[in-house]
Amino acid sequence: MSQKTIQDLFSDYMDKEPIFSNKKALTISYTPEDVPHRDNQINQLGLILAPALKNDRPSNVFIYGSTGTGKTLITTYVTNQLKIAAKKAESDLYIMYVNCKMKRVADTEYRLLAHLANILEKEVPATGLPTDHVYKIFFDALEERKGVVIIIIDEIDALISKVGDELLYNLTRINQELQNIKISIIGISNNLSFTDYIDARVKSALSEEELVFPPYNAVQLQDILFNRAKIAFSEDKIKDGVLSKCAALAAQEHGDARRALDLLRVAGELAERNNNTQITEKHVDMAESKVDMDRIMEVVKTQPKQSKAVICSIFTLLDGISKEKILTGEVYDTYKNICSQISLKPLTQRRISDIITELDMLSIISAKVISKGRYGRTREIGIAISKDIHSRIMDYLKKEFYL
DNA sequence: AGTCCACAGGAAGGGCAGGCGA
DNA sequence: TCGCCTGCCCTTCCTGTGGACT
C-alpha cells in the first residue's frame, strides 16, 4: 500500500463520525453508577458489610452465581460505596481484591498470599520462600494496620479446587491470631456446589452469610444493555432490534451479562470497521461467531507446545477418518507420529491423558469416559467447537509446526 | 460367573528454575 | 557457595473398573 492511501485511510478514520462515544462502558471493568435488577443483592450485601463503619467485623460472605450475573460488579460497587461512607465516618477500612483465575498471580496458595502481601506494600519474591514465611509477612503487614480489612477473593472455587481448603482455614483463623485487626472475607464463586468440597469447619466459618445471584432473563439483560448503550454509543447508532437480539443470545447462555455486553461491543466494532453508520442485527450475528472464534483462538495460541501437538493430533485424526469420535489410544499413536515429524520429545500416555482432560475443560474438545466391555475402558473424544473455528485452528497449527 | 481389555486416574517423586538466608 | 524452599511439568508405578466376551 502506498503512503498516500494509508494516510487517506487514517484521515478517513478521523473524519468519520464515531459510532462509540465511550467504549469503556461496555467492558467488564466498568462500574456503572447504578446497577439495575440487583437491588436486593446490593441491599443485602450493604447490610452485611455496614458494621465495618462502626469498626466492627462484618460477617464473612459467600457469593454464588454463574458467569456474568454481576457478582464482581456488585461487590466492587458496594465496597466502593462503603469506602466513601467509611471516609465520612472516619473509620479505618481497607479493602483488598484478588482474582484467583488470573494465571501466575493468585492461582496457588503461595501466590495468593504473595499477592495480598504486595497489595499491603510488602515485597514477596515470586518463588523461593517457605509458605509459612509468606504467611508471616502477610500477617505482619496486616498487623501494621488497624481497623477492618475486607478481603474479596474472586473465583475462589478455581483456587480451592487446585490447592485444597487448608488455605481458607488459615485465613479464617486470622481473627484469632491478630488482635488489632478485624478481617472479613468475601468469597465469590461461579460454582454453586463449591462448598460441598470444603471441610465443614471452614464452611461454617466462611459462609456466615450467603448471597445467590440468579441469572438475568432476556428482559433484564435488555435493560442493562440499554443503560450501557446510552453511555457507550453516540445517538441513533443502534438499529431497532439490536439490543434485544444481543440480550436474547446471551439469555440463551445462562443469562450472562458479560456476553451480552461483549456482543454489543464487537457488533459496534464491526460496524465501525465496515464504515457502516449504524449497528444492525447482521453485525450482531457476525459478532457472535467472532466472539467465540476469538476466545478459542486465544486459548489455543496460549497453550504449550505439547498441548498444541495433542490438539493437532485429535483434529488430524478426526479430519482423516469419517468417524465423529476417537479414542485415547488412537490419539496417542497419532500424537507420537506428529512428534517424530516435528522433532518433539513425546510425553507419556499418562501425561497425554491429563492434557486431554485439560483440553476438555477448556471446551476445545469433549471427552467422555466410556467402557467398550471386552475392549477396555477409554475416553471417547470429539470436537466441541464449530467447523469453521476447527479449520482456523488447524491452519494455525499447521503453520506453527510447518506441517 | 468369571475373565480381561484398555485405559482412567491417584500417589509419589524426580528434575528444573527461581529465590532465600547463612 | 551451599542447603533448603517453592511451583511446575513430567514420569513411574500402581490400583480401579464397566461391560463384552467366554
Side-chain angles (χ1 to χ4, degrees):
Chain A
M1 200 181 279
S2 77
Q3 245 176 358
K4 184 157 186 293
T5 46
I6 187 93
Q7 286 305 327
D8 286 348
L9 189 140
F10 288 149
S11 65
D12 280 356
Y13 179 85
M14 292 307 289
D15 291 344
K16 217 169 33 181
E17 197 191 333
I19 284 202
F20 291 104
S21 51
N22 181 3
K23 206 196 273 188
K24 264 196 192 147
L26 298 178
T27 57
I28 348 164
S29 48
Y30 181 80
T31 314
E33 269 170 40
D34 64 349
V35 189
H37 305 294
R38 284 294 181 244
D39 297 341
N40 199 1
Q41 282 82 359
I42 292 174
N43 288 339
Q44 280 187 53
L45 188 59
L47 285 173
I48 295 167
L49 298 181
L53 297 172
K54 293 188 175 172
N55 270 320
D56 287 327
R57 186 185 82 84
S59 299
N60 295 327
V61 197
F62 232 106
I63 298 178
Y64 304 95
S66 40
T67 33
T69 47
K71 304 179 298 295
T72 309
L73 176 66
I74 266 90
T75 311
T76 34
Y77 175 78
V78 173
T79 48
N80 280 345
Q81 297 293 323
L82 191 69
K83 260 191 229 166
I84 297 170
K87 211 168 186 184
K88 270 190 208 150
E90 290 178 5
S91 54
D92 291 309
L93 173 67
Y94 194 73
I95 292 167
M96 304 166 85
Y97 172 87
V98 50
N99 188 324
C100 303
K101 266 252 176 94
M102 282 163 77
K103 282 241 164 183
R104 322 236 175 269
V105 173
D107 53 352
T108 65
E109 181 179 22
Y110 184 98
R111 284 177 182 162
L112 176 80
L113 291 167
H115 184 73
L116 291 174
N118 280 336
I119 297 177
L120 294 169
E121 289 160 17
K122 294 284 174 209
E123 286 292 316
V124 179
T127 166
L129 295 184
T131 311
D132 48 350
H133 195 139
V134 188
Y135 267 108
K136 191 166 180 309
I137 295 176
F138 174 52
F139 281 20
D140 287 350
L142 278 176
E143 231 167 12
E144 282 172 21
R145 309 194 167 257
K146 52 184 175 35
V148 179
V149 175
I150 297 177
I151 306 178
I152 305 167
I153 309 180
D154 205 347
E155 315 247 16
I156 194 170
D157 45 329
L159 177 69
I160 300 310
S161 64
K162 208 173 155 193
V163 303
D165 57 8
E166 187 81 1
L167 165 71
L168 286 181
Y169 180 68
N170 291 334
L171 285 181
T172 53
R173 288 187 53 83
I174 299 178
N175 283 309
Q176 282 126 51
E177 307 255 337
L178 306 179
Q179 301 303 317
N180 294 331
I181 199 104
K182 289 158 188 145
I183 299 275
S184 165
I185 297 170
I186 303 180
I188 303 180
S189 163
N190 287 330
N191 185 348
L192 285 150
S193 55
F194 160 64
T195 45
D196 296 350
Y197 304 109
I198 58 178
D199 190 291
R201 7 167 238 181
V202 180
K203 192 174 167 181
S204 65
L206 207 57
S207 24
E208 293 168 335
E209 301 277 355
E210 290 188 355
L211 282 183
V212 178
F213 282 58
Y216 293 110
N217 61 35
V219 179
Q220 294 171 330
L221 284 173
Q222 204 175 327
D223 236 19
I224 295 171
L225 285 176
F226 182 76
N227 280 342
R228 299 281 189 108
K230 269 195 299 194
I231 309 167
F233 296 104
S234 338
E235 229 168 299
D236 296 331
K237 291 295 174 210
I238 305 177
K239 259 205 154 163
D240 286 348
V242 166
L243 293 185
S244 55
K245 179 146 195 173
C246 290
L249 286 172
Q252 279 168 20
E253 277 191 38
H254 48 259
D256 183 346
R258 190 179 305 174
R259 185 167 171 85
L261 291 167
D262 274 349
L263 282 172
L264 186 58
R265 181 178 45 83
V266 174
E269 287 169 356
L270 288 170
E272 201 170 51
R273 214 168 295 166
N274 293 338
N275 282 326
N276 299 127
T277 47
Q278 267 195 325
I279 306 172
T280 63
E281 290 187 43
K282 206 183 86 205
H283 292 124
V284 179
D285 286 330
M286 284 155 69
E288 198 197 5
S289 56
K290 187 172 184 318
V291 166
D292 283 344
M293 175 92 79
D294 288 354
R295 185 190 70 82
I296 295 172
M297 281 310 289
E298 194 51 41
V299 171
V300 172
K301 280 181 186 168
T302 50
Q303 288 302 302
K305 207 167 184 183
Q306 293 286 0
S307 303
K308 284 181 185 164
V310 176
I311 298 174
C312 190
S313 320
I314 294 171
F315 285 11
T316 322
L317 253 176
L318 285 166
D319 281 342
I321 52 175
S322 50
K323 277 190 285 181
E324 294 232 319
K325 302 272 179 187
I326 45 173
L327 309 175
T328 307
E330 299 169 341
V331 172
Y332 190 62
D333 290 341
T334 315
Y335 161 77
K336 278 195 293 191
N337 271 332
I338 287 180
C339 280
S340 67
Q341 279 179 56
I342 61 175
S343 346
L344 187 69
K345 187 171 169 265
L347 304 176
T348 55
Q349 180 153 341
R350 178 70 189 84
R351 179 69 190 122
I352 298 307
S353 170
D354 278 347
I355 290 179
I356 290 174
T357 311
E358 286 162 23
L359 295 177
D360 179 33
M361 289 206 290
L362 291 169
S363 308
I364 296 173
I365 58 169
S366 65
K368 196 174 114 211
V369 179
I370 55 154
S371 173
K372 287 158 49 73
R374 187 77 242 244
Y375 306 102
R377 232 161 71 95
T378 178
R379 260 187 304 199
E380 209 177 52
I381 299 161
I383 289 190
I385 53 179
S386 71
K387 199 75 200 162
D388 50 328
I389 302 180
H390 168 174
S391 41
R392 270 273 301 268
I393 292 176
M394 229 19 231
D395 290 345
Y396 163 76
L397 290 174
K398 277 183 184 160
K399 241 182 235 165
E400 167 113 357
F401 290 141
Y402 303 107
L403 280 172

